[in-house]
Amino acid sequence: MPSTVSVRLLQALLGTAYLFLAAVALAKATSLVTLLVAAGAMLVSYLTARRIPDAFVSPNAVFGICAIGLAIICIGMVADAVGGTQAQEWVAIVMAYCAGNRFRAAGIGPTS
């Protein structure tokens, strides 16, 4: 077990989980408007988010750092699993927004 964990790595993992949930919701929603709004939300959140400096935390602090993100992922999973069409649209847009924000925080993408 490593003695420290990169916070940027945690952000990238959260972003990947959000993106996966958005993709599942988009596959179920099958709406072009939802796809366009989700893509726009992801782009806007990426462009307005801040890149965080790479910090390292102990493995014991990982849950505390990711707790809110994990709660949002759980809510998205439930909405993906049992939600109707409107829930799928909501999940696709919200998870795409969250993914853009987390990818920027992780430092993924162009530097500006």
Side-chain angles (χ1 to χ4, degrees):
M1 182 102 153
S3 60
T4 59
V5 178
S6 169
V7 174
R8 279 192 175 178
L9 174 64
L10 296 174
Q11 297 299 320
L13 292 173
L14 286 172
T16 303
Y18 290 140
L19 187 61
F20 176 75
L21 287 173
V24 169
L26 283 170
K28 290 181 178 180
T30 64
S31 168
L32 180 61
V33 173
T34 303
L35 174 67
L36 293 174
V37 172
M42 186 172 181
L43 179 64
V44 168
S45 72
Y46 181 85
L47 293 175
T48 58
R50 295 183 316 159
R51 181 174 285 113
I52 62 170
D54 200 10
F56 294 89
V57 296
S58 70
N60 296 335
V62 169
F63 181 75
I65 291 170
C66 298
I68 293 174
L70 292 173
I72 292 171
I73 289 169
C74 289
I75 292 167
M77 286 175 25
V78 169
D80 258 347
V82 297
T85 304
Q86 290 178 338
Q88 299 303 323
E89 292 171 354
W90 175 86
V91 170
I93 294 166
V94 170
M95 293 300 149
Y97 180 87
C98 292
N101 197 327
R102 294 301 95 210
F103 285 141
R104 180 62 176 245
I108 296 172
T111 58
S112 58

Coordinates of all heavy atoms in Angstrom, one line a residue:
M1 N 0.9 -1.2 0.0 CA 0.0 0.0 0.0 C 0.9 1.2 0.0 O 1.8 1.3 0.8 CB -0.9 0.0 1.2 CG -1.8 1.1 1.3 SD -3.4 0.5 0.8 CE -4.5 1.6 1.7
P2 N 0.6 2.2 -0.9 CA 1.5 3.4 -0.9 C 1.3 4.2 0.3 O 0.3 4.2 1.0 CB 1.0 4.1 -2.2 CG -0.4 3.6 -2.4 CD -0.4 2.2 -1.9
S3 N 2.3 4.9 0.7 CA 2.3 5.8 1.9 C 1.5 7.0 1.6 O 1.0 7.6 2.6 CB 3.7 6.1 2.4 OG 4.4 6.8 1.4
T4 N 1.3 7.5 0.4 CA 0.5 8.6 0.0 C -0.2 8.4 -1.3 O 0.1 7.6 -2.1 CB 1.4 9.9 -0.1 OG1 2.3 9.7 -1.2 CG2 2.1 10.3 1.2
V5 N -1.3 9.2 -1.4 CA -2.2 9.1 -2.6 C -2.3 10.5 -3.2 O -2.5 11.4 -2.5 CB -3.5 8.5 -2.3 CG1 -4.4 8.5 -3.5 CG2 -3.4 7.2 -1.6
S6 N -2.2 10.6 -4.5 CA -2.3 11.8 -5.2 C -3.7 12.3 -5.3 O -4.6 11.5 -5.7 CB -1.8 11.7 -6.7 OG -2.1 12.8 -7.4
V7 N -4.0 13.5 -4.9 CA -5.3 14.1 -4.9 C -5.8 14.2 -6.4 O -7.0 14.0 -6.7 CB -5.4 15.4 -4.2 CG1 -6.7 16.1 -4.3 CG2 -5.1 15.2 -2.7
R8 N -4.9 14.6 -7.3 CA -5.2 14.6 -8.7 C -5.7 13.3 -9.2 O -6.6 13.2 -10.1 CB -4.1 15.2 -9.5 CG -4.0 16.7 -9.5 CD -3.0 17.2 -10.5 NE -3.0 18.6 -10.6 CZ -2.2 19.3 -11.4 NH1 -1.4 18.7 -12.2 NH2 -2.3 20.6 -11.4
L9 N -5.0 12.2 -8.8 CA -5.5 10.9 -9.2 C -6.9 10.6 -8.7 O -7.7 10.1 -9.4 CB -4.5 9.8 -8.6 CG -4.9 8.4 -8.9 CD1 -4.9 8.1 -10.4 CD2 -4.0 7.4 -8.2
L10 N -7.2 11.0 -7.5 CA -8.5 10.8 -7.0 C -9.5 11.6 -7.8 O -10.6 11.1 -8.1 CB -8.6 11.3 -5.5 CG -7.8 10.5 -4.5 CD1 -7.8 11.1 -3.1 CD2 -8.2 9.0 -4.5
Q11 N -9.2 12.8 -8.2 CA -10.1 13.6 -9.0 C -10.3 13.0 -10.4 O -11.4 12.9 -10.9 CB -9.5 15.0 -9.2 CG -9.4 15.8 -7.9 CD -10.7 16.0 -7.2 OE1 -11.7 16.3 -7.9 NE2 -10.7 15.9 -5.9
A12 N -9.3 12.4 -11.0 CA -9.4 11.7 -12.2 C -10.3 10.5 -12.1 O -11.1 10.2 -13.0 CB -8.0 11.4 -12.8
L13 N -10.1 9.8 -11.1 CA -11.0 8.6 -10.9 C -12.5 9.0 -10.7 O -13.3 8.3 -11.2 CB -10.5 7.8 -9.7 CG -9.1 7.1 -9.8 CD1 -8.7 6.4 -8.5 CD2 -9.2 6.0 -11.0
L14 N -12.7 10.0 -9.9 CA -14.1 10.5 -9.7 C -14.6 10.9 -11.1 O -15.8 10.6 -11.4 CB -14.1 11.6 -8.7 CG -14.0 11.2 -7.3 CD1 -13.9 12.5 -6.4 CD2 -15.2 10.4 -6.8
G15 N -13.8 11.7 -11.9 CA -14.3 12.1 -13.2 C -14.6 11.0 -14.1 O -15.6 11.0 -14.9
T16 N -13.8 9.9 -14.1 CA -14.1 8.7 -14.9 C -15.4 8.1 -14.5 O -16.2 7.6 -15.3 CB -12.9 7.7 -14.8 OG1 -11.7 8.4 -15.2 CG2 -13.1 6.5 -15.7
A17 N -15.6 8.0 -13.2 CA -16.9 7.4 -12.7 C -18.1 8.2 -13.1 O -19.1 7.7 -13.6 CB -16.9 7.2 -11.2
Y18 N -18.0 9.5 -13.0 CA -19.0 10.4 -13.5 C -19.3 10.3 -15.0 O -20.4 10.2 -15.4 CB -18.7 11.9 -13.2 CG -18.7 12.3 -11.7 CD1 -17.7 13.2 -11.3 CD2 -19.7 11.8 -10.8 CE1 -17.7 13.6 -9.9 CE2 -19.6 12.2 -9.5 CZ -18.7 13.1 -9.1 OH -18.7 13.5 -7.8
L19 N -18.2 10.2 -15.7 CA -18.3 10.1 -17.2 C -19.0 8.8 -17.6 O -19.9 8.7 -18.5 CB -17.0 10.2 -17.9 CG -17.0 10.3 -19.4 CD1 -17.8 11.5 -19.9 CD2 -15.6 10.3 -19.9
F20 N -18.7 7.7 -16.9 CA -19.3 6.4 -17.1 C -20.8 6.5 -16.8 O -21.6 6.0 -17.6 CB -18.6 5.3 -16.3 CG -19.3 4.0 -16.4 CD1 -19.1 3.2 -17.5 CD2 -20.1 3.5 -15.4 CE1 -19.7 2.0 -17.7 CE2 -20.7 2.3 -15.5 CZ -20.5 1.5 -16.7
L21 N -21.2 7.0 -15.7 CA -22.6 7.2 -15.4 C -23.3 8.0 -16.4 O -24.5 7.7 -16.8 CB -22.8 7.7 -14.0 CG -22.4 6.8 -12.8 CD1 -22.5 7.5 -11.5 CD2 -23.4 5.6 -12.9
A22 N -22.7 9.1 -16.9 CA -23.3 9.9 -17.9 C -23.5 9.2 -19.2 O -24.5 9.3 -19.8 CB -22.4 11.2 -18.1
A23 N -22.5 8.3 -19.6 CA -22.6 7.5 -20.8 C -23.8 6.5 -20.7 O -24.5 6.3 -21.6 CB -21.3 6.9 -21.1
V24 N -23.9 5.9 -19.5 CA -25.0 4.9 -19.3 C -26.3 5.6 -19.4 O -27.2 5.1 -20.1 CB -24.8 4.2 -18.0 CG1 -26.1 3.4 -17.6 CG2 -23.6 3.3 -18.0
A25 N -26.4 6.8 -18.8 CA -27.7 7.5 -18.8 C -28.0 8.0 -20.3 O -29.2 8.0 -20.7 CB -27.6 8.7 -17.9
L26 N -27.0 8.4 -21.0 CA -27.2 8.9 -22.4 C -27.6 7.7 -23.3 O -28.5 7.9 -24.2 CB -26.0 9.5 -22.9 CG -25.7 11.0 -22.5 CD1 -24.3 11.4 -22.9 CD2 -26.7 11.9 -23.0
A27 N -27.1 6.5 -23.0 CA -27.5 5.4 -23.8 C -29.0 5.0 -23.5 O -29.7 4.6 -24.5 CB -26.6 4.2 -23.5
K28 N -29.4 5.2 -22.3 CA -30.8 4.9 -22.0 C -31.7 6.0 -22.4 O -32.9 5.8 -22.8 CB -31.0 4.7 -20.5 CG -30.3 3.4 -20.0 CD -30.5 3.2 -18.5 CE -30.0 1.9 -18.0 NZ -30.2 1.8 -16.6
A29 N -31.3 7.3 -22.4 CA -32.2 8.4 -22.7 C -32.4 8.5 -24.2 O -33.5 8.9 -24.6 CB -31.6 9.7 -22.1
T30 N -31.4 8.2 -25.0 CA -31.5 8.3 -26.4 C -32.1 9.6 -27.0 O -32.9 9.6 -27.9 CB -32.2 7.1 -27.0 OG1 -33.6 7.1 -26.6 CG2 -31.6 5.8 -26.6
S31 N -31.7 10.7 -26.4 CA -32.3 12.0 -26.9 C -31.1 12.8 -27.4 O -30.1 13.0 -26.6 CB -33.0 12.7 -25.7 OG -33.3 14.0 -26.1
L32 N -31.2 13.4 -28.6 CA -30.1 14.2 -29.1 C -30.0 15.5 -28.3 O -28.9 16.0 -28.0 CB -30.4 14.5 -30.6 CG -29.4 15.4 -31.3 CD1 -28.0 14.7 -31.2 CD2 -29.8 15.7 -32.7
V33 N -31.1 16.0 -27.8 CA -31.1 17.3 -27.0 C -30.4 17.0 -25.7 O -29.5 17.8 -25.3 CB -32.5 17.8 -26.8 CG1 -32.5 19.0 -25.8 CG2 -33.2 18.2 -28.1
T34 N -30.6 15.9 -25.1 CA -30.0 15.6 -23.8 C -28.5 15.4 -24.1 O -27.6 15.9 -23.3 CB -30.5 14.3 -23.2 OG1 -31.9 14.4 -23.0 CG2 -29.9 13.9 -21.9
L35 N -28.1 14.8 -25.2 CA -26.7 14.6 -25.5 C -26.0 16.0 -25.7 O -24.9 16.2 -25.2 CB -26.5 13.8 -26.8 CG -25.1 13.7 -27.3 CD1 -24.2 12.9 -26.4 CD2 -25.1 13.1 -28.7
L36 N -26.7 16.9 -26.4 CA -26.1 18.2 -26.6 C -26.0 19.0 -25.4 O -25.0 19.7 -25.1 CB -26.9 19.0 -27.7 CG -26.9 18.4 -29.1 CD1 -27.8 19.1 -30.0 CD2 -25.5 18.4 -29.7
V37 N -27.0 19.0 -24.5 CA -27.0 19.7 -23.3 C -25.9 19.1 -22.3 O -25.2 19.9 -21.7 CB -28.4 19.7 -22.6 CG1 -28.3 20.3 -21.2 CG2 -29.4 20.5 -23.4
A38 N -25.8 17.8 -22.3 CA -24.8 17.2 -21.4 C -23.4 17.5 -21.9 O -22.5 17.8 -21.1 CB -25.0 15.7 -21.4
A39 N -23.2 17.5 -23.2 CA -21.8 17.9 -23.8 C -21.5 19.3 -23.5 O -20.4 19.7 -23.1 CB -21.8 17.6 -25.3
G40 N -22.5 20.2 -23.6 CA -22.3 21.6 -23.3 C -22.0 21.8 -21.8 O -21.2 22.6 -21.5
A41 N -22.8 21.1 -21.0 CA -22.5 21.2 -19.5 C -21.1 20.8 -19.2 O -20.4 21.4 -18.4 CB -23.6 20.4 -18.8
M42 N -20.7 19.7 -19.8 CA -19.3 19.2 -19.5 C -18.3 20.2 -20.0 O -17.3 20.5 -19.3 CB -19.1 17.8 -20.2 CG -17.8 17.2 -19.9 SD -17.7 15.5 -20.5 CE -16.1 15.0 -19.9
L43 N -18.5 20.8 -21.2 CA -17.5 21.8 -21.7 C -17.5 23.0 -20.8 O -16.4 23.5 -20.4 CB -17.8 22.1 -23.1 CG -16.9 23.1 -23.8 CD1 -15.5 22.6 -23.9 CD2 -17.5 23.5 -25.1
V44 N -18.6 23.5 -20.4 CA -18.7 24.7 -19.6 C -18.1 24.5 -18.2 O -17.3 25.3 -17.7 CB -20.1 25.2 -19.5 CG1 -20.3 26.3 -18.4 CG2 -20.6 25.8 -20.8
S45 N -18.4 23.3 -17.6 CA -17.8 23.0 -16.3 C -16.3 22.9 -16.4 O -15.6 23.3 -15.5 CB -18.5 21.8 -15.7 OG -18.1 20.6 -16.3
Y46 N -15.8 22.3 -17.5 CA -14.4 22.1 -17.6 C -13.7 23.5 -17.8 O -12.7 23.7 -17.2 CB -14.1 21.2 -18.9 CG -12.6 21.0 -19.0 CD1 -11.9 20.0 -18.4 CD2 -11.8 21.9 -19.9 CE1 -10.6 19.9 -18.5 CE2 -10.5 21.7 -20.0 CZ -9.8 20.7 -19.3 OH -8.5 20.5 -19.5
L47 N -14.3 24.4 -18.6 CA -13.7 25.7 -18.8 C -13.7 26.6 -17.6 O -12.9 27.5 -17.5 CB -14.4 26.3 -20.0 CG -14.1 25.6 -21.4 CD1 -15.0 26.3 -22.5 CD2 -12.7 25.6 -21.7
T48 N -14.7 26.4 -16.7 CA -14.8 27.3 -15.6 C -14.2 26.7 -14.3 O -14.2 27.4 -13.3 CB -16.3 27.6 -15.3 OG1 -17.1 26.4 -15.1 CG2 -16.9 28.4 -16.5
A49 N -13.8 25.5 -14.3 CA -13.3 24.9 -13.1 C -11.8 25.3 -13.0 O -11.2 25.9 -13.9 CB -13.4 23.3 -13.2
R50 N -11.3 25.0 -11.8 CA -9.9 25.3 -11.5 C -9.1 24.0 -11.4 O -9.6 23.0 -11.0 CB -9.8 26.0 -10.2 CG -10.4 27.4 -10.1 CD -10.2 28.1 -8.8 NE -10.4 27.2 -7.7 CZ -9.9 27.4 -6.5 NH1 -9.2 28.4 -6.2 NH2 -10.2 26.5 -5.5
R51 N -7.9 24.1 -11.9 CA -6.9 23.0 -11.8 C -6.3 23.1 -10.4 O -5.9 24.1 -9.9 CB -5.8 23.1 -12.8 CG -4.8 22.0 -12.8 CD -3.8 22.1 -13.9 NE -4.5 21.7 -15.1 CZ -4.8 22.5 -16.2 NH1 -4.4 23.8 -16.1 NH2 -5.4 22.0 -17.2
I52 N -6.3 22.0 -9.6 CA -5.8 22.0 -8.3 C -4.3 21.6 -8.3 O -3.9 20.9 -9.2 CB -6.6 21.0 -7.3 CG1 -6.5 19.6 -7.8 CG2 -8.0 21.5 -7.2 CD1 -7.0 18.6 -6.8
P53 N -3.6 22.1 -7.3 CA -2.2 21.7 -7.3 C -2.1 20.2 -6.8 O -3.0 19.8 -6.1 CB -1.6 22.6 -6.2 CG -2.7 23.2 -5.5 CD -3.9 23.1 -6.4
D54 N -1.1 19.5 -7.3 CA -1.0 18.1 -6.9 C -0.6 18.0 -5.5 O 0.5 18.5 -5.1 CB -0.1 17.4 -7.9 CG -0.4 15.9 -7.8 OD1 -1.4 15.5 -7.2 OD2 0.4 15.1 -8.4
A55 N -1.4 17.4 -4.7 CA -1.1 17.2 -3.3 C -1.1 15.7 -3.0 O -1.8 15.0 -3.8 CB -2.1 18.0 -2.4
F56 N -0.5 15.3 -1.9 CA -0.5 13.9 -1.6 C -1.1 13.8 -0.2 O -0.7 14.6 0.7 CB 0.9 13.3 -1.7 CG 1.4 13.3 -3.1 CD1 2.1 14.4 -3.6 CD2 1.1 12.2 -3.9 CE1 2.5 14.4 -4.9 CE2 1.6 12.2 -5.2 CZ 2.3 13.3 -5.7
V57 N -2.0 12.8 0.0 CA -2.6 12.6 1.3 C -2.4 11.1 1.7 O -2.1 10.3 0.9 CB -4.1 12.9 1.3 CG1 -4.3 14.4 1.0 CG2 -4.8 12.1 0.3
S58 N -2.6 10.9 3.0 CA -2.4 9.5 3.5 C -3.6 8.7 3.0 O -4.7 9.3 2.8 CB -2.4 9.5 5.0 OG -3.6 9.9 5.6
P59 N -3.5 7.4 2.9 CA -4.6 6.6 2.5 C -5.8 6.7 3.4 O -6.9 6.5 3.0 CB -4.0 5.2 2.5 CG -2.6 5.4 2.3 CD -2.2 6.6 3.0
N60 N -5.6 7.0 4.7 CA -6.7 7.2 5.6 C -7.6 8.4 5.3 O -8.7 8.4 5.7 CB -6.1 7.3 7.1 CG -5.4 6.1 7.5 OD1 -5.7 5.0 7.0 ND2 -4.5 6.3 8.5
A61 N -7.0 9.4 4.6 CA -7.8 10.6 4.3 C -8.5 10.5 2.9 O -9.3 11.4 2.6 CB -6.8 11.8 4.2
V62 N -8.4 9.4 2.2 CA -9.0 9.3 0.9 C -10.5 9.4 1.0 O -11.2 10.1 0.2 CB -8.5 8.0 0.2 CG1 -9.3 7.7 -1.1 CG2 -7.0 8.1 -0.2
F63 N -11.1 8.6 1.9 CA -12.6 8.6 2.0 C -13.1 10.0 2.3 O -14.1 10.4 1.8 CB -13.1 7.6 3.0 CG -14.5 7.6 3.1 CD1 -15.3 7.0 2.2 CD2 -15.2 8.2 4.2 CE1 -16.7 7.0 2.2 CE2 -16.6 8.2 4.3 CZ -17.3 7.6 3.3
G64 N -12.4 10.7 3.2 CA -12.9 12.1 3.6 C -12.8 13.0 2.4 O -13.7 13.9 2.2
I65 N -11.8 12.8 1.5 CA -11.7 13.7 0.3 C -12.8 13.3 -0.7 O -13.3 14.2 -1.4 CB -10.3 13.6 -0.3 CG1 -9.3 14.2 0.7 CG2 -10.2 14.2 -1.6 CD1 -7.9 13.9 0.3
C66 N -13.1 12.1 -0.8 CA -14.0 11.6 -1.9 C -15.5 11.4 -1.4 O -16.3 11.0 -2.2 CB -13.5 10.3 -2.4 SG -11.9 10.4 -3.2
A67 N -15.8 11.7 -0.1 CA -17.1 11.3 0.4 C -18.3 12.0 -0.3 O -19.2 11.3 -0.7 CB -17.2 11.7 1.9
I68 N -18.2 13.2 -0.6 CA -19.3 13.9 -1.3 C -19.4 13.4 -2.7 O -20.5 13.1 -3.2 CB -19.2 15.4 -1.3 CG1 -19.4 15.9 0.2 CG2 -20.2 16.1 -2.2 CD1 -19.1 17.4 0.4
G69 N -18.3 13.2 -3.4 CA -18.3 12.7 -4.8 C -18.9 11.3 -4.8 O -19.6 10.9 -5.7
L70 N -18.5 10.4 -3.8 CA -19.1 9.1 -3.8 C -20.6 9.1 -3.5 O -21.3 8.3 -4.1 CB -18.3 8.3 -2.7 CG -16.9 8.0 -3.0 CD1 -16.2 7.3 -1.8 CD2 -16.7 7.1 -4.2
A71 N -21.0 10.0 -2.7 CA -22.5 10.1 -2.5 C -23.2 10.5 -3.8 O -24.3 9.9 -4.1 CB -22.8 11.2 -1.4
I72 N -22.6 11.4 -4.5 CA -23.2 11.8 -5.8 C -23.2 10.6 -6.8 O -24.2 10.4 -7.5 CB -22.5 13.1 -6.4 CG1 -22.8 14.3 -5.5 CG2 -22.9 13.3 -7.8 CD1 -22.0 15.5 -5.8
I73 N -22.1 9.9 -6.8 CA -22.1 8.7 -7.7 C -23.1 7.7 -7.3 O -23.8 7.1 -8.1 CB -20.6 8.1 -7.6 CG1 -19.7 9.0 -8.3 CG2 -20.6 6.7 -8.2 CD1 -18.2 8.6 -8.1
C74 N -23.3 7.5 -6.0 CA -24.4 6.5 -5.5 C -25.8 7.0 -6.0 O -26.6 6.2 -6.4 CB -24.3 6.4 -4.0 SG -22.9 5.4 -3.5
I75 N -26.0 8.3 -5.8 CA -27.3 8.8 -6.3 C -27.5 8.6 -7.8 O -28.6 8.2 -8.2 CB -27.5 10.3 -5.9 CG1 -27.5 10.4 -4.4 CG2 -28.7 10.9 -6.6 CD1 -27.4 11.9 -3.9
G76 N -26.4 8.9 -8.5 CA -26.5 8.7 -10.0 C -26.7 7.2 -10.3 O -27.4 6.9 -11.3
M77 N -26.1 6.3 -9.6 CA -26.3 4.9 -9.9 C -27.7 4.5 -9.7 O -28.3 3.7 -10.5 CB -25.3 4.1 -9.1 CG -23.9 4.1 -9.5 SD -22.6 3.3 -8.5 CE -23.4 2.1 -7.7
V78 N -28.3 4.9 -8.6 CA -29.7 4.6 -8.3 C -30.6 5.2 -9.3 O -31.5 4.5 -9.8 CB -30.1 5.1 -6.9 CG1 -31.6 4.9 -6.6 CG2 -29.3 4.3 -5.8
A79 N -30.4 6.4 -9.7 CA -31.2 7.0 -10.7 C -31.0 6.3 -12.1 O -32.0 6.2 -12.8 CB -30.9 8.5 -10.9
D80 N -29.8 5.9 -12.4 CA -29.6 5.1 -13.6 C -30.3 3.8 -13.6 O -30.9 3.4 -14.6 CB -28.1 4.9 -13.8 CG -27.4 5.8 -14.8 OD1 -28.2 6.5 -15.6 OD2 -26.2 5.8 -14.9
A81 N -30.3 3.2 -12.5 CA -30.9 1.8 -12.4 C -32.4 1.8 -12.4 O -33.0 1.0 -13.0 CB -30.3 1.1 -11.1
V82 N -33.0 2.7 -11.6 CA -34.5 2.6 -11.5 C -35.2 3.8 -12.0 O -36.5 3.8 -12.0 CB -34.8 2.4 -10.0 CG1 -34.3 1.1 -9.5 CG2 -34.4 3.6 -9.1
G83 N -34.5 4.9 -12.5 CA -35.2 6.1 -12.9 C -35.8 5.9 -14.3 O -35.4 5.1 -15.1
G84 N -36.8 6.8 -14.6 CA -37.4 6.8 -15.9 C -36.6 7.7 -16.8 O -35.4 8.1 -16.6
T85 N -37.3 8.1 -17.9 CA -36.6 8.9 -18.9 C -36.1 10.3 -18.4 O -35.0 10.7 -18.7 CB -37.6 9.2 -20.1 OG1 -38.0 7.9 -20.6 CG2 -36.9 9.9 -21.2
Q86 N -37.0 10.9 -17.6 CA -36.5 12.2 -17.0 C -35.4 12.1 -16.1 O -34.5 12.9 -16.0 CB -37.7 12.9 -16.3 CG -38.8 13.4 -17.3 CD -39.9 14.0 -16.5 OE1 -40.2 13.8 -15.4 NE2 -40.7 14.9 -17.2
A87 N -35.3 11.0 -15.3 CA -34.2 10.7 -14.4 C -32.9 10.5 -15.2 O -31.8 11.0 -14.9 CB -34.5 9.6 -13.5
Q88 N -33.1 9.8 -16.3 CA -31.9 9.5 -17.2 C -31.3 10.8 -17.8 O -30.1 11.0 -17.8 CB -32.2 8.6 -18.3 CG -32.7 7.2 -17.9 CD -31.7 6.5 -17.0 OE1 -30.5 6.6 -17.2 NE2 -32.2 5.8 -16.0
E89 N -32.2 11.7 -18.2 CA -31.8 13.0 -18.7 C -31.0 13.8 -17.6 O -30.0 14.4 -17.8 CB -33.0 13.8 -19.2 CG -33.6 13.2 -20.5 CD -34.9 13.8 -20.9 OE1 -35.4 14.7 -20.2 OE2 -35.4 13.4 -22.0
W90 N -31.6 13.8 -16.4 CA -31.0 14.5 -15.3 C -29.6 13.9 -15.0 O -28.6 14.6 -14.8 CB -31.9 14.4 -14.1 CG -31.3 15.0 -12.8 CD1 -31.3 16.2 -12.4 CD2 -30.5 14.3 -11.8 NE1 -30.7 16.4 -11.2 CE2 -30.1 15.2 -10.8 CE3 -30.1 12.9 -11.7 CZ2 -29.4 14.8 -9.7 CZ3 -29.4 12.6 -10.6 CH2 -29.0 13.6 -9.6
V91 N -29.5 12.6 -14.9 CA -28.2 11.9 -14.6 C -27.2 12.3 -15.7 O -26.1 12.6 -15.4 CB -28.4 10.4 -14.5 CG1 -27.1 9.7 -14.4 CG2 -29.3 10.1 -13.3
A92 N -27.6 12.2 -16.9 CA -26.6 12.5 -18.0 C -26.1 13.9 -17.9 O -24.8 14.1 -18.0 CB -27.3 12.3 -19.4
I93 N -26.9 14.8 -17.7 CA -26.5 16.2 -17.6 C -25.6 16.5 -16.4 O -24.5 17.1 -16.4 CB -27.7 17.2 -17.7 CG1 -28.3 17.1 -19.1 CG2 -27.2 18.6 -17.5 CD1 -29.7 17.7 -19.2
V94 N -26.1 16.1 -15.2 CA -25.4 16.3 -13.9 C -24.1 15.6 -13.9 O -23.1 16.2 -13.5 CB -26.3 16.0 -12.7 CG1 -25.5 16.0 -11.4 CG2 -27.5 16.9 -12.7
M95 N -24.1 14.4 -14.3 CA -22.8 13.6 -14.3 C -21.8 14.1 -15.3 O -20.6 14.1 -15.0 CB -23.1 12.1 -14.5 CG -23.8 11.5 -13.4 SD -23.0 11.5 -11.8 CE -24.4 11.6 -10.7
A96 N -22.3 14.6 -16.4 CA -21.4 15.2 -17.4 C -20.8 16.5 -16.9 O -19.6 16.7 -17.0 CB -22.1 15.5 -18.7
Y97 N -21.6 17.3 -16.2 CA -21.1 18.5 -15.5 C -20.0 18.2 -14.5 O -18.9 18.8 -14.5 CB -22.2 19.3 -14.9 CG -21.8 20.5 -14.2 CD1 -21.7 21.7 -14.9 CD2 -21.4 20.6 -12.9 CE1 -21.3 22.9 -14.3 CE2 -21.0 21.7 -12.3 CZ -20.9 22.9 -13.0 OH -20.5 24.0 -12.4
C98 N -20.3 17.2 -13.7 CA -19.4 16.8 -12.6 C -18.1 16.2 -13.2 O -17.0 16.5 -12.7 CB -20.0 15.7 -11.7 SG -21.3 16.4 -10.7
A99 N -18.2 15.5 -14.3 CA -17.0 14.9 -15.0 C -16.1 16.0 -15.5 O -14.9 16.0 -15.3 CB -17.4 14.0 -16.1
G100 N -16.7 17.0 -16.2 CA -15.9 18.1 -16.7 C -15.1 18.8 -15.5 O -13.9 19.1 -15.7
N101 N -15.8 19.0 -14.4 CA -15.2 19.7 -13.3 C -14.1 18.9 -12.7 O -13.0 19.4 -12.4 CB -16.3 19.9 -12.3 CG -15.9 21.0 -11.2 OD1 -14.8 21.1 -10.9 ND2 -16.9 21.7 -10.7
R102 N -14.3 17.6 -12.5 CA -13.2 16.7 -11.9 C -12.0 16.6 -12.9 O -10.9 16.5 -12.4 CB -13.8 15.4 -11.6 CG -14.8 15.4 -10.5 CD -14.3 16.0 -9.2 NE -14.7 17.4 -9.1 CZ -14.0 18.3 -8.5 NH1 -12.9 18.1 -7.9 NH2 -14.4 19.6 -8.5
F103 N -12.3 16.5 -14.2 CA -11.2 16.3 -15.1 C -10.3 17.6 -15.1 O -9.1 17.5 -15.2 CB -11.6 16.0 -16.5 CG -12.1 14.6 -16.7 CD1 -13.2 14.3 -17.5 CD2 -11.5 13.5 -16.1 CE1 -13.7 13.0 -17.6 CE2 -11.9 12.2 -16.2 CZ -13.0 11.9 -17.0
R104 N -10.9 18.7 -15.0 CA -10.1 20.0 -15.0 C -9.3 20.0 -13.7 O -8.2 20.4 -13.6 CB -11.0 21.2 -15.1 CG -10.3 22.5 -15.0 CD -9.3 22.6 -16.2 NE -8.7 23.9 -16.2 CZ -8.8 24.8 -17.1 NH1 -9.6 24.6 -18.2 NH2 -8.3 26.0 -17.1
A105 N -10.0 19.6 -12.6 CA -9.3 19.6 -11.3 C -8.1 18.7 -11.3 O -7.1 18.9 -10.7 CB -10.3 19.2 -10.2
A106 N -8.2 17.6 -12.0 CA -7.2 16.6 -12.1 C -6.0 17.0 -13.0 O -5.0 16.4 -13.0 CB -7.7 15.3 -12.6
G107 N -6.2 18.1 -13.7 CA -5.2 18.6 -14.7 C -5.2 17.9 -16.0 O -4.2 18.0 -16.7
I108 N -6.3 17.2 -16.3 CA -6.4 16.5 -17.6 C -6.8 17.5 -18.7 O -7.8 18.3 -18.5 CB -7.4 15.3 -17.5 CG1 -6.8 14.3 -16.5 CG2 -7.6 14.7 -18.8 CD1 -7.8 13.2 -16.2
G109 N -6.2 17.5 -19.8 CA -6.6 18.4 -20.9 C -5.6 19.5 -21.1 O -4.5 19.5 -20.5
P110 N -5.9 20.4 -22.0 CA -5.0 21.5 -22.3 C -4.7 22.4 -21.1 O -5.6 22.6 -20.3 CB -5.7 22.3 -23.4 CG -7.1 21.9 -23.4 CD -7.1 20.5 -22.7
T111 N -3.5 22.9 -21.0 CA -3.2 23.8 -19.9 C -3.4 25.2 -20.3 O -2.9 25.6 -21.3 CB -1.7 23.6 -19.4 OG1 -0.9 23.8 -20.5 CG2 -1.5 22.2 -18.9
S112 N -4.1 25.9 -19.5 CA -4.4 27.4 -19.9 C -4.6 28.1 -18.6 O -5.0 27.6 -17.6 CB -5.5 27.5 -20.8 OG -6.7 27.0 -20.3

